[in-house]
Structure formats: structure tokens, C-alpha cells
Amino acid sequence: MRPVSVHPLVRFGAGAFATAGILLAGLAAPASAAESDQLWIAAPYEKNLQAGGAATPVEVGLYHDNDNFTVTDGRLTVDVSGLAGVAEVSWPENCAPSGTSALCSVAEVPVTGGDHTPQVRLEVRAADGAEAGARGRITYAASAAGGPDGTLEAPLDSFDTTLTVSSGPDLVLDGLDAIEGATPGTVHTVPLSVTNAGAEPAQGFTLGMMASHGLGYESRYDACTYTRTGDDEYAPMSRAECAFDRVLRPGETFTLPEPLRIAVAEHALRERLDVDVRPGGGATDIDEGNNYRILAVDAVNTADFAVRGSKVSGAAGETVKAALTFRNKGPAWIGNLGSGDAVALVDFTVPEGVTVTRAPAACDPRTLDGGYRPGRTGAPRYVCEMPYWVLEDAVRTFRFDLRVDTVVPDAKGLVALRPVIAGTSFPHDPKPGNDKGWVTVNPTPAA
């Protein structure tokens, strides 16, 4: 069970920047049944230590799967015997060291998937005399009170952090404070700086920026190239790749030739600017964890989601084509760029007297109460998934083939928009009344 590096913008496609993040590889299918739970340790797979430099933080957390249980009294054992001659550790207050290990306390263990801060922060410094290339390892074990049997244990021999003594630049991004309440059509100045906190100079560096669809680069630099990315699968983005030849010595700070100014478009809503810095000349950054930041921009705007069904007629035995149409009436676009969740689900209850003989690939069959149903055809209900993004004028139609088994005059099937998370609403939608429609089979002709 290892942590793996992923990029927060996994949905942005191949143009997204590579950066270091931590994801528990084994948590793709968390337990949801009341009778099961599992304790996990979240720790970085590897870290670099600056030879003769400042300490490097190593953050470790405990988490469990099942929110049906309360898990407390977490006990994390940290074994640093593998660092002998390579590194030294400074322990936080919630750890009790004894020899080459320590027992760290975590009063309450949170459920995986939330926005939690690791509970244990070690400060690790390269040992005096340790040469570049020297490597050591920290190993972990953990237990906690809770779960179906009263005690949970993390899988043994599955979590460790490898530390390597290195010498090189450590570029640190700073600034990029969140912007809230932005007015569409305005321009904002964004503080941004790069500092070399390492022991070696950076022989030039590159700065990459990726702006979501509702943002634009008001200030442009000769050192940058600008491109647009996106296709039918990935949301449109604006990318800037900037190369600076300047040598950035230890302790020096770089700012852009003129302040970074970001335009907030008329269709902006929940936006983000992802920024990444990398040393040039093929050098390795000592700590990649501080090379990447996200500027969140929340604009005051709305996106009016709407849906409509259709009216179809046919004799018994005939097949008719019914259409469900989603429309974003704007003025804002919507992109769930962090979660990748669908912006909406189109929920269709099949009218009486007909059978679905063909359903779109994006529409999953369900039982009438919304449960799993095998087979693509003949279901009484279908849930159609929208993409994780829709433009400000997006229209998407889902077409069904319906066989008329019995002619039922004015047979109606509800078509409703709903969020992915049950029990929530669309906070951006100013007109929830048009989030429902009907498919009517064999409507009575108007008098």
C-alpha cells in the first residue's frame, strides 16, 4: 500500500504540469459497509535532504475508511534506525522518542478523502558529514481504537519514506493568495515570487502557468509562450510556459518583469490558476513540494442549468425516439477541475407502456428506486452523466429508443437534473424551477 505521485489536475490532460502530491494508492474503493474498516498511513514515498542545509519537513497522517465508525487513540510508531549516519530527526510534541523510534499520538483519526492536515510533522536534517547520494529510510506502523472489532491496524511493512542527501537549488513559489468575490470583467494583480531556498544556484528556471477557462493573461511576457489546450474530453485551458535565463543564487528572490495581472472573464465562476516552477539545466529541485501553488478565483456569477424532455407518439409495436436535452443558459461556465465530478446528472424515469431498447453510453440503467440494475435495455430508470465541465452555452442531448408496448395516452416520465452528491443542490443555479421536464408518450392532441 504505497503513496504515489499524482497531479491535482489529472482531468486537464497531458498539458498539465507534473508535480508532487500524495495519494493513498489503496483507497480507490473505500469500505462503506458497516462491518468493515481499515486504518491507513499517509506518508511521502521519498524526500530529498539539503546537504548542510535547513531541515526538511516529513508530514505523516493516519486515516481510516469507514465513516460509520469513530476512530480514536491513534498510535503511530516511527522507526528512524535506518537513518543512522544519514540524517537526524527533530520530534514534534505529540511524539515520545525512545532510542531510534518514537510513539506519536493522534487523538482522533479522520476518514479518508477529506481536507485534513497530517497530524505528525517530523523535521529531518542531513547529518553532519553526510555526503550527497547517501540514503536512509523511515518506516512506520500504526494502530487505533475503533472499527468493527474495536481495534484497527495499518498493514505491516507497507509504509516508508526514503530520504536522500542532495545538493542543489530549492525553488519556492510564494504569493498567489486566493481571490474571492471577483466581479466578471475585472482584472486583478496577483503577487508572485520565486525564492531559491537551496544551497546551490539555479542556472535559470522555467515557470509554467495553467489558467482555467474563465481566466486570461492580461500581462504578457517576452519570456513566455502562450497556447490553448482542451478538446471534447478535457476542459479548455490557457497555458503559459516561461523560460528565464537568470541565475538565481541561494537566498535570492525573483519577481516577474511586471506584476502578473489576471483577467476575470464574463463567464467566470469557480476558477483556478495553477503555477509550477522548475530549475533549469536539468537540475533536480531539492524539495518539489514547494514548487507548485494554486490561485483560486471565485467570481460572483451564476450558471442557469435547465433540462427538457420531448413529446413522441407511436402505435403499439413501434419504436419512437425520445430526447432529453441539458442546457447551460449561463452566463457562467462550470468546471469541477479538482474533483473531476460530473457537473450534473440527468435522471430519467421511463414512462408507462414503453420499453427502452437503446440508451446512450453515458446513461446507466437503474431500478425504479435508483439501485443497480444489470443490462443496458429495459430498465425503468436511467441516470445520464454529464462531463466534469460545460461551457457557458453548452447543450447536450441524450437520445433513447422507446418501444411502445401498450398505448397509454399522455404517459409521462420525469426528467430531472441533480448533483452527483445526493441531497445537495446547485448553488450556482438561479432558476431551479427549470431543472425538471417530461418525456410524454402519445400526448393527447390539443383541442
Side-chain angles (χ1 to χ4, degrees), residues 261-330:
R261 302 176 73 233
I262 297 297
V264 181
E266 296 291 345
H267 55 259
L269 185 59
R270 297 192 301 265
E271 309 301 327
R272 57 189 282 170
L273 176 71
D274 291 65
V275 184
D276 173 90
V277 65
R278 301 176 292 274
T284 299
D285 195 287
I286 292 298
D287 183 5
E288 294 183 342
N290 51 28
N291 292 47
Y292 173 82
R293 290 178 71 93
I294 298 173
L295 167 68
V297 180
D298 287 334
V300 180
N301 212 344
T302 60
D304 180 14
F305 282 4
V307 71
R308 60 181 172 84
S310 54
K311 296 180 179 181
V312 294
S313 297
E318 291 183 348
T319 295
V320 295
K321 296 183 181 295
L324 325 177
T325 301
F326 166 92
R327 183 183 299 273
N328 180 13
K329 296 184 175 182

Side-chain angles (χ1 to χ4, degrees), residues 328-350:
N328 180 13
K329 296 184 175 182
W333 85 300
I334 293 286
N336 291 328
L337 303 179
S339 68
D341 289 338
V343 296
L345 301 176
V346 180
D347 197 332
F348 172 43
T349 301
V350 180

Side-chain angles (χ1 to χ4, degrees), residues 173-264:
L173 270 175
D174 201 5
L176 300 170
D177 296 328
I179 299 173
E180 298 182 358
T183 301
T186 58
V187 175
H188 294 258
T189 299
V190 178
L192 185 155
S193 65
V194 179
T195 299
N196 185 1
E200 301 286 343
Q203 303 297 328
F205 57 92
T206 60
L207 185 72
M209 295 182 285
M210 186 79 84
S212 59
H213 176 58
L215 299 179
Y217 302 106
E218 187 72 12
S219 51
R220 300 219 165 198
Y221 310 100
D222 292 339
C224 303
T225 58
Y226 299 87
T227 56
R228 292 281 293 175
T229 66
D231 52 28
D232 290 342
E233 182 178 359
Y234 296 109
M237 311 289 292
S238 297
R239 178 174 179 172
E241 279 288 341
C242 311
F244 297 97
D245 294 333
R246 171 179 167 175
V247 175
L248 198 61
R249 301 187 183 282
E252 287 187 341
T253 296
F254 166 85
T255 56
L256 291 167
E258 63 178 84
L260 177 63
R261 302 176 73 233
I262 297 297
V264 181

Side-chain angles (χ1 to χ4, degrees), residues 391-414:
L391 294 180
E392 57 276 16
D393 56 356
V395 177
R396 181 158 185 174
T397 298
F398 301 94
R399 302 184 188 280
F400 287 79
D401 286 358
L402 309 179
R403 185 185 66 233
V404 180
D405 300 317
T406 303
V407 174
V408 178
D410 295 310
K412 291 182 178 292
L414 178 65

